[in-house]
Structures are given as structure tokens and as C-alpha cells.
């Protein structure tokens, strides 16, 4: 999956009000949109190399959007809106070995009045719900983690995936690791122990958990490797 335009390199100055980052491009300081509402723990060191996508929409106040941060020598894709696009590309191109040769890939499908999952697909006449979680946290050189802050919404999704199984669906949760060079994945139980307990409950109930790493460059981003989940 290629970026629609060439990304522009700069240096991070600061993030503020969740949706804004100041970036130095050459000698100019610009304010860019930050398409990530999470804590972005470990990524926001002043001076980190960043990559911005310029937009030409006259209706948008900010002319740049943040796409990649280079932290601890790893490219990290921070645009949470890209996660479903990357997974959709992976599903359509058989890059996720457990979910190859699917039929009827549908996005943003309601399971009930309160919850919709990222994908509803079909394989061998079995309907499958897929939820995607974007992962940007890493606290050592080889292990990505989720979540990076307490997430009641994430816990709700786990419990609803259990409900989907009870109603005859198969359930998958994909942790999309937008961090280079990771080999393992784990649930950050020290950050959100409630989420970890619900993860354990969902696993026992039959929810399938997968972690896949992305290949990331300033030109393209796509799924390239399955990671070992080391909580198990």
C-alpha cells in the first residue's frame, strides 16, 4: 500500500491538544494534524524525525498530516485511520495466513445497536467478525505492546467478540503493529490490567488473537510478518 504522495521529512517539536503537532521542516515551523488520539507513549521525544503528508484540500485548515515518527531507530506508523486500510489490503491480498481466500469482505459492520466491528468476512461458509487494534507502543527492542493507555472501549470490544461467538460467528482480533523490527507482541497488563483480564477471558471463550507487523517506509506500508504473542 503506497502513500498517495511523497512524505515530507521534518523534526518533531511537540504535540498538544491531542490533535496537533508542531514540526520543523527545514527552517519553517508548521502545525500538522495528529491522526492519533492515543497517548503515543514513547514516541513524542522532541527532535524525533517525522514524516508528513501534505494535502491540497482548501477546506482543511491544516495543510499537513502526521504519518510516521522515527523513534529509537524504528519507523512507527501513527495514523490510526490507516490501520483498517492496511488490514483490508492484507485481507484482499492474502497477507494474513489465517485469513486467506476470503469471500464478501465488508467493512464497518454492526453486530448490535451499540457495536460495530471493523470487518465481516466469510470463509468456507463461516461468517467471521474481525476487530483491528493499532499498535505503536514498544518498550524494548523487539516486543510491541497494547494498549498504551487504559481502554474501556477495547475491553468492550473483547466482550462483544465473545457474544459474537455465542451467536455462531467466528471472532478474530488483529493487533496491527505499525512498528519496524518487532518480533513479539504482548498485552501491557501493567498499563491496563482490566483489559488483560478480558483478553484472557476472550481467549478462553474462543476469540482468535493475531499480531502482525507492518513493513514501513516513507513510500509504502503493508503487512509483512506474523509476530509471536508472548502472554500465552
Amino acid at each position: 500500500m503506497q502513500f498517495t504522495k511523497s512524505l515530507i521529512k521534518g523534526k518533531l517539536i511537540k504535540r498538544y491538544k491531542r490533535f496537533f503537532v508542531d514540526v520543523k521542516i527545514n527552517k519553517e515551523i508548521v502545525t500538522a494534524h495528529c491522526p492519533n488520539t492515543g497517548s503515543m507513549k514513547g514516541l513524542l521525544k522532541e527532535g524525533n524525525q517525522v514524516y508528513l503528508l501534505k494535502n491540497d484540500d482548501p477546506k482543511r485548515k491544516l495543510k499537513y498530516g502526521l504519518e510516521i515518527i522515527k523513534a529509537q531507530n524504528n519507523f512507527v506508523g501513527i495514523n490510526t485511520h490507516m490501520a483498517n486500510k492496511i488490514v483490508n489490503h492484507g485481507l484482499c491480498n492474502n497477507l494474513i495466513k489465517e485469513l486467506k481466500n476470503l469471500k464478501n469482505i465488508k467493512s464497518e459492520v454492526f453486530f448490535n445497536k451499540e457495536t460495530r466491528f471493523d470487518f465481516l468476512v466469510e470463509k468456507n461458509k463461516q461468517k467471521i467478525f474481525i476487530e483491528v487494534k493499532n499498535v505503536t507502543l514498544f518498550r524494548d527492542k523487539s516486543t510491541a505492546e497494547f494498549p498504551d493507555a487504559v481502554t474501556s472501549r477495547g475491553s468492550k470490544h473483547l466482550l462483544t467478540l465473545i457474544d459474537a461467538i455465542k451467536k455462531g460467528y467466528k471472532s478474530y482480533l488483529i493487533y496491527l503493529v505499525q512498528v519496524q523490527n518487532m518480533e513479539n507482541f504482548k498485552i501491557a497488563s501493567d498499563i491496563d490490567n482490566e483489559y488483560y483480564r478480558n483478553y484472557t477471558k476472550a481467549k478462553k471463550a474462543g476469540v482468535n488473537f493475531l499480531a502482525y507487523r507492518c513493513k514501513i517506509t516513507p513510500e509504502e506500508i503493508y503487512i509483512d510478518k506474523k509476530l509471536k504473542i508472548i502472554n500465552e
Side-chain angles (χ1 to χ4, degrees):
M1 231 185 95
Q2 294 186 328
F3 288 104
T4 53
K5 296 179 182 177
S6 297
L7 300 186
I8 299 167
K9 186 163 65 173
K11 286 190 176 182
L12 179 67
I13 297 175
K14 63 179 178 179
R15 178 206 194 191
Y16 54 100
K17 295 182 180 178
R18 295 175 73 187
F19 295 107
F20 301 97
V21 288
D22 284 346
V23 174
K24 189 174 183 180
I25 303 174
N26 298 319
K27 295 182 179 180
E28 180 186 7
I29 295 176
V30 303
T31 299
H33 174 63
C34 180
N36 187 319
T37 60
S39 75
M40 296 174 66
K41 185 178 178 71
L43 304 180
L44 298 173
K45 182 180 178 182
E46 183 177 354
N48 275 357
Q49 194 175 102
V50 299
Y51 289 83
L52 306 178
L53 183 65
K54 188 175 183 181
N55 72 79
D56 299 316
D57 186 348
K59 295 180 181 179
R60 294 184 64 176
K61 292 181 180 179
L62 299 178
K63 298 301 179 185
Y64 297 92
L66 180 62
E67 294 289 336
I68 295 172
I69 293 177
K70 191 172 186 181
Q72 301 178 50
N73 294 316
N74 290 322
F75 284 131
V76 182
I78 62 87
N79 188 344
T80 56
H81 304 298
M82 284 286 284
N84 282 14
K85 294 178 182 179
I86 295 165
V87 171
N88 185 66
H89 175 267
L91 295 173
C92 292
N93 291 278
N94 293 324
L95 300 181
I96 301 169
K97 64 181 182 180
E98 295 83 358
L99 293 164
K100 288 185 174 181
N101 304 314
L102 300 175
K103 294 183 178 179
N104 304 321
I105 300 173
K106 298 177 182 177
S107 300
E108 300 289 335
V109 177
F110 279 96
F111 169 67
N112 56 33
K113 291 181 179 180
E114 296 180 350
T115 304
R116 60 183 173 184
F117 291 121
D118 293 317
F119 297 97
L120 175 63
V121 303
E122 190 174 327
K123 183 175 182 178
N124 300 327
K125 297 183 180 180
Q126 170 70 61
K127 290 186 176 181
I128 305 168
F129 275 117
I130 302 170
E131 180 66 14
V132 178
K133 295 301 179 189
N134 190 59
V135 179
T136 60
L137 175 64
F138 61 108
R139 292 183 283 184
D140 67 36
K141 293 182 179 179
S142 62
T143 303
E145 300 180 65
F146 182 90
D148 65 1
V150 173
T151 171
S152 57
R153 184 170 180 266
S155 280
K156 177 187 171 185
H157 280 143
L158 290 174
L159 298 176
T160 311
L161 286 169
I162 295 172
D163 289 342
I165 290 174
K166 293 176 180 176
K167 293 187 177 178
Y169 296 91
K170 200 168 183 179
S171 293
Y172 277 83
L173 195 150
I174 299 174
Y175 294 104
L176 184 73
V177 178
Q178 289 201 61
V179 187
Q180 281 184 315
N181 299 319
M182 298 295 103
E183 297 294 335
N184 304 304
F185 170 83
K186 70 177 182 179
I187 304 298
S189 58
D190 62 315
I191 292 177
D192 189 346
N193 193 251
E194 178 72 14
Y195 183 85
Y196 176 70
R197 287 197 298 269
N198 286 318
Y199 161 83
T200 302
K201 183 178 180 180
K203 184 169 176 57
K204 288 179 180 177
V207 176
N208 297 279
F209 290 93
L210 302 173
Y212 272 84
R213 185 185 78 192
C214 293
K215 169 75 174 178
I216 304 171
T217 74
E219 290 75 39
E220 60 184 354
I221 181 167
Y222 58 87
I223 290 172
D224 79 331
K225 184 176 182 178
K226 183 180 179 180
L227 303 185
K228 182 180 180 181
I229 299 178
I230 61 174
N231 290 94
E232 336 182 285

